[in-house]
Amino acid sequence: MGAGPGGIAAGVKLKRAGVTDFVLLERADEVGGSWQENHYPGLEVDIPSLAYQYSFARNPNWSRLFAAGAEVRRYHVAVARRFGLYPHIRFGTEVLGEEWDEDRHCWRLRLADGTVTTARFVISAVGAFISPKQDPGIPGLTEYRGKIQRPSDWDDTYDLTGKRVAIIGTGASSVQITPSIAEKVGSLAVFQRTPVWCLPKPNPRIPRAVRLALHVPGVTATVHGAALVAVDAVLRTMSTAPMPVVRPTLRAMDAAAIRGYRTLLRLMVQDPRIREGLTPDYGPIAKRPTLNTGYLLAFNRENVDLVTTPIERFTATGIRTTDGVERDFDMIVLATGYHVFSDPETYTPGMVVGRDGMDLGKYFAEQGLQAYESVALPGLPNRWTLVGPYSWTGSGWHAFVEMMADHAVRAISEARRRGATFVAVRQDVHDAYHRRIYRSGAAMRYYLSELNAHVPTYYRNSQGDSTYIRPTGFFSARRAHHRFPFSDYEFDRLTA
């Protein structure tokens, strides 16, 4: 399910394993996931392009250090074509529900067009950001008569020239949109609930000589691997260091980082009032940090303002804040986030129902988010999730969905070898794994749920857990996905 980065990885891995009887169900009309949906002004990757690619499809020809969205979109299309995935894809197909059929050892997938399709095995590759939040939680949205824009559904035909524009939110998309439209619009007001950490991001073109060097076999992989080593070291240190050391160290690191950021703001932002409003009172990794040189500089423009007073409601012509001030806008950008895989509320009861009536939505709400190696649950046989609880390893997106696809395909291949029609992780193995991963996340929970408990972040879910991040690091995760014992699963077959 899904033909974004995870679905493409799964399709390629299946073909390489000799499995050709599969279909990719994609609700959009092209591959790429978020990179197909999003095409708002200023869209770029926020990690170096060399780290944003598959190991089986290295691209030495990125034009810039941080590739633009259109270039990333073309990359996914090229990979899908190169590996012959298009004949396997059913576009315009949205899965509304999944139900396990115990008698037939298969999944019944209920589609938006009213039909039902069945599959022996299911890989959920719907991604981390499941769907954009349509309702920002502010009264009066339907009363507003101007133009509404969302990063995930940007109307490129709308002429921004001279318009009065508001952006609600200061996350990754807002940080990219703000400087991209500031020069063109008449006025721009950025409505901020929480200041964002935003560091400068030089984005030079990659010289031809460097691109030629990257064509040499092994060079791109080596550069990418060096970055993974650095990230892995941080996560492994946090997961193994004793808490009496972790607590004061993290407090000191946050305090030093905030002091350093204040210095950066003094250098980049002229207005003292705006500087103060842009200053975070939380640590740099408590929310998703951003990179964009133009974001902070945009607030030096006379036509750009920062509004930190909370919004009371939308009006017919704009926005009213809690201090009674009403501002009129021709266009409002709702950069208010997504429903994320790490939130229990994302999983609607009745959407995924497994063995013995196990309801994924109810299970996560009552038991907390958990899954063996982030991908499998005992009550959901023959099903793997590529972005599940405790999954993100701090690496580029492709690296970690690729290794989770390896896990699913390895289990499916072993089932085929045995002639099994049923594959499920053992309950005792799952429970032991969850205890280990939960213990390893103690430092991350302290950082997000105690030291920085005052800041809203999707790194901490409504249950106070940090299920977004896998605390054990990239390389241990990759080893586990590639080498898990088959004895961790039970295999069975239908009997006549």
Side-chain angles (χ1 to χ4, degrees):
M1 296 183 295
I8 292 172
V12 171
K13 300 290 184 175
L14 285 167
K15 292 193 75 171
R16 286 187 162 186
V19 180
T20 58
D21 182 12
F22 69 90
V23 63
L24 297 175
L25 305 179
E26 171 55 51
R27 64 186 178 186
D29 58 3
E30 185 52 278
V31 302
S34 294
W35 293 102
Q36 187 276 333
E37 295 175 353
N38 289 274
H39 48 88
Y40 57 78
L43 177 61
E44 295 175 340
V45 293
D46 53 8
I47 65 170
S49 306
L50 290 180
Y52 210 78
Q53 56 185 329
Y54 301 108
S55 67
F56 55 79
R58 302 284 185 189
N59 178 20
N61 296 314
W62 295 110
S63 63
R64 289 189 177 275
L65 181 59
F66 299 91
E71 191 171 3
V72 179
R73 188 160 55 249
R74 291 193 298 271
Y75 169 74
H76 288 114
V77 170
V79 173
R81 285 178 177 161
R82 173 181 166 188
F83 289 93
L85 296 186
Y86 276 92
H88 295 272
I89 304 174
R90 286 171 57 184
F91 290 114
T93 305
E94 183 175 5
V95 178
L96 298 182
E98 308 166 52
E99 184 178 3
W100 171 249
D101 186 334
E102 180 68 21
D103 293 333
R104 298 175 60 200
H105 284 184
C106 69
W107 284 93
R108 294 172 54 83
L109 308 180
R110 181 167 46 87
L111 307 182
D113 63 5
T115 63
V116 173
T117 190
T118 59
R120 176 74 70 205
F121 303 107
V122 168
I123 298 175
S124 176
V126 297
F129 304 101
I130 309 300
S131 59
K133 294 179 179 178
Q134 297 298 314
D135 183 358
I138 301 169
L141 179 60
T142 57
E143 299 174 17
Y144 176 64
R145 297 197 301 265
K147 177 69 173 179
I148 292 288
Q149 291 270 38
R150 291 181 171 85
S152 59
D153 188 25
W154 194 271
D155 181 0
D156 297 302
T157 66
Y158 184 78
D159 186 5
L160 300 172
T161 305
K163 295 296 196 299
R164 299 165 299 174
V165 176
I167 297 181
I168 301 177
T170 54
S173 57
S174 174
V175 162
Q176 295 181 330
I177 293 168
T178 295
S180 299
I181 68 174
E183 186 176 348
K184 191 172 186 179
V185 301
S187 64
L188 178 61
V190 179
F191 286 80
Q192 172 188 279
R193 180 179 62 169
T194 307
V196 65
W197 284 81
C198 185
L199 300 177
K201 184 177 78 172
N203 192 15
R205 295 191 68 83
I206 298 178
R208 183 173 180 272
V210 173
R211 293 201 301 272
L212 288 173
L214 293 174
H215 276 84
V216 177
V219 171
T220 301
T222 300
V223 174
H224 186 196
L228 291 175
V229 167
V231 174
D232 181 76
V234 173
L235 286 175
R236 281 192 296 107
T237 299
M238 287 188 69
S239 68
T240 58
M243 290 305 294
V245 174
V246 166
R247 290 187 179 94
T249 300
L250 290 178
R251 286 197 298 269
M253 287 174 56
D254 275 6
I258 291 171
R259 289 195 299 270
Y261 195 67
R262 285 185 178 275
T263 300
L264 176 68
L265 288 171
R266 284 196 295 271
L267 293 173
M268 298 189 70
V269 181
Q270 298 165 3
D271 188 321
R273 176 188 68 84
I274 293 180
R275 277 204 305 268
E276 187 60 30
L278 291 170
T279 303
D281 64 349
Y282 62 91
I285 57 172
K287 285 175 69 75
R288 177 181 176 178
T290 61
L291 298 173
N292 193 293
T293 304
Y295 179 70
L296 297 179
L297 294 176
F299 290 101
N300 294 326
R301 299 181 59 87
E302 291 185 1
N303 68 329
V304 178
D305 191 21
L306 178 71
V307 182
T308 57
T309 307
I311 297 173
E312 178 183 305
R313 66 177 296 110
F314 294 99
T315 66
T317 57
I319 292 172
R320 182 166 70 232
T321 47
T322 55
D323 56 4
V325 175
E326 294 194 18
R327 297 172 174 84
D328 292 341
F329 298 106
D330 302 302
M331 182 181 93
I332 297 176
V333 180
L334 299 180
T336 48
Y338 283 77
H339 298 287
V340 183
F341 79 96
S342 52
D343 289 329
E345 296 79 10
T346 296
Y347 302 88
T348 306
M351 180 175 284
V352 181
V353 179
R355 200 178 191 190
D356 298 324
M358 185 274 201
D359 188 311
L360 184 62
K362 293 179 180 178
Y363 179 83
F364 280 166
E366 296 168 3
Q367 305 295 326
L369 271 71
Q370 52 188 287
Y372 167 71
E373 295 292 352
S374 306
V375 298
L377 280 163
L380 303 180
N382 294 13
R383 187 184 188 277
W384 297 266
T385 302
L386 299 196
V387 185
Y390 304 100
S391 58
W392 185 55
T393 56
S395 62
W397 207 252
H398 298 73
F400 96 90
V401 295
E402 187 178 331
M403 65 185 177
M404 284 184 282
D406 283 329
H407 184 125
V409 173
R410 185 167 183 258
I412 291 169
S413 297
E414 179 63 10
R416 285 161 54 85
R417 188 188 70 80
R418 298 183 184 205
T421 57
F422 176 98
V423 185
V425 64
R426 289 167 35 204
Q427 186 71 54
D428 60 326
V429 170
H430 166 272
D431 294 347
Y433 173 81
H434 182 60
R435 287 193 295 270
R436 289 197 305 273
I437 205 74
Y438 190 82
R439 285 195 301 269
S440 297
M444 193 63 68
R445 283 194 301 278
Y446 164 74
Y447 185 79
L448 296 171
S449 299
E450 295 185 44
L451 183 58
N452 291 288
H454 60 290
V455 60
T457 172
Y458 60 67
Y459 288 166
R460 180 188 65 249
N461 66 22
S462 60
Q463 297 168 330
D465 203 356
S466 53
T467 57
Y468 191 98
I469 302 166
R470 180 165 179 148
T472 57
F474 174 82
F475 292 105
S476 68
R478 188 171 66 178
R479 283 193 300 272
H481 285 303
H482 287 174
R483 302 177 187 174
F484 64 88
F486 290 126
S487 58
D488 285 359
Y489 281 90
E490 61 172 304
F491 296 83
D492 200 356
R493 71 176 69 190
L494 283 172
T495 56

